[in-house]
Amino acid sequence: MQIDKLKHTTGNQFFLMAGPCAIEGRDMALQIAERIVTITNKLGIPYIFKGSYRKANRTKLNSFTGIGDEKALAILKEVGDTFDVPTVTDIHESEEAAMAAPFVDVLQIPAFLCRQTELLEAAAKTGRAVNVKKGQFLSGESMGFAVEKVKTTNPAATVFLTDRGNSFGYGDLVVDYRNLPAMQSFGVPVVMDCTHSLQQPNQSSGVTGGKPALITTIAKAAIAVGADGLFIETHPNPSEAKSDGANMLPLDQLESLLERLVRVRESIL
């Protein structure tokens, strides 16, 4: 699997999970992937392309959910094959694990679903790597049970844990960086989601807000604390994105951000 190659090349460098929130179309996915691959190759950052084939957790009934499962999954596979990089996508119900696994290298468990035992087991049974996002309502220490569920089902499974902030009242999130070393204590790579952790959910408009100006702050702090990887959603025109545009990083800002983060990483080694 391509994820095995990633593990052997990480070394002392952080790795990156990045891409659009949702697969909006073939051309855009390939455009974003090509740009990020160019940047990460230049900087020596191991890279996993991220894109959701379907968005199941939406505030409003008429919110964009996807272009069709089979079409989006085929695009994810094409991205992986074209650029020789691992790919990751979310799954939401147990039966989706076997459907999505042939197309991607990593199955991601959304934060709201991180306690769903059957979903974790189904992901583990596919043999794909599993990235579990920490629930906004959980501590880092409690995520050991998610790791246990995956590893008990498949002892050979590769597991990542990703922090995406904790609920702070009804419409905001806050990042508790104590959660990163707490989750690393389970012997798995830990990722900081630098964009979803800046969401402002539960807005009266029915569209989630965000604070993208703080992405650099969240990312630099995570690297300084010792995060193994970063998760960043990016788009050429976030204001036109069909999902989560309010907290995405403009694609043309990614290279300068990663250059700074590489220097932060070097300074703490």
Side-chain angles (χ1 to χ4, degrees), residues 29-108:
L30 291 169
Q31 173 194 347
I32 293 172
E34 182 176 24
R35 180 60 186 145
I36 302 177
V37 167
T38 299
I39 295 169
T40 53
N41 284 347
K42 174 184 174 182
L43 298 176
I45 299 172
Y47 173 52
I48 303 172
F49 177 84
K50 183 271 167 184
S52 296
Y53 75 91
R54 188 202 310 162
K55 301 301 297 183
N57 177 21
R58 302 287 86 191
T59 302
K60 297 170 68 176
L61 181 63
N62 62 351
S63 295
F64 173 81
T65 58
I67 60 174
D69 294 354
E70 293 182 4
K71 185 176 180 180
L73 286 168
I75 291 170
L76 280 162
K77 188 175 190 308
E78 183 177 359
V79 168
D81 292 343
T82 300
F83 299 105
D84 193 28
V85 294
T87 55
V88 55
T89 198
D90 316 69
I91 58 172
H92 317 92
E93 297 186 34
S94 301
E95 60 268 22
E96 294 179 31
M99 178 184 71
F103 298 91
V104 296
D105 301 277
V106 185
L107 297 175
Q108 181 168 283

Side-chain angles (χ1 to χ4, degrees), residues 63-174:
S63 295
F64 173 81
T65 58
I67 60 174
D69 294 354
E70 293 182 4
K71 185 176 180 180
L73 286 168
I75 291 170
L76 280 162
K77 188 175 190 308
E78 183 177 359
V79 168
D81 292 343
T82 300
F83 299 105
D84 193 28
V85 294
T87 55
V88 55
T89 198
D90 316 69
I91 58 172
H92 317 92
E93 297 186 34
S94 301
E95 60 268 22
E96 294 179 31
M99 178 184 71
F103 298 91
V104 296
D105 301 277
V106 185
L107 297 175
Q108 181 168 283
I109 309 300
F112 283 129
L113 302 177
C114 68
R115 287 168 51 103
Q116 297 297 104
T117 300
E118 290 185 0
L119 181 60
L120 291 163
E121 290 175 334
K125 288 175 182 176
T126 67
R128 293 309 196 221
V130 182
N131 180 36
V132 189
K133 286 198 169 184
K134 183 184 74 61
Q136 302 92 320
F137 44 87
L138 293 175
S139 68
E141 287 84 357
S142 65
M143 290 302 291
F145 299 109
V147 175
E148 181 181 36
K149 289 175 182 178
V150 175
K151 287 288 192 178
T152 299
T153 304
N154 179 5
T158 295
V159 184
F160 305 109
L161 292 177
T162 296
D163 192 1
R164 48 100 75 234
N166 282 80
S167 296
F168 189 68
Y170 290 117
D172 207 356
L173 297 167
V174 65

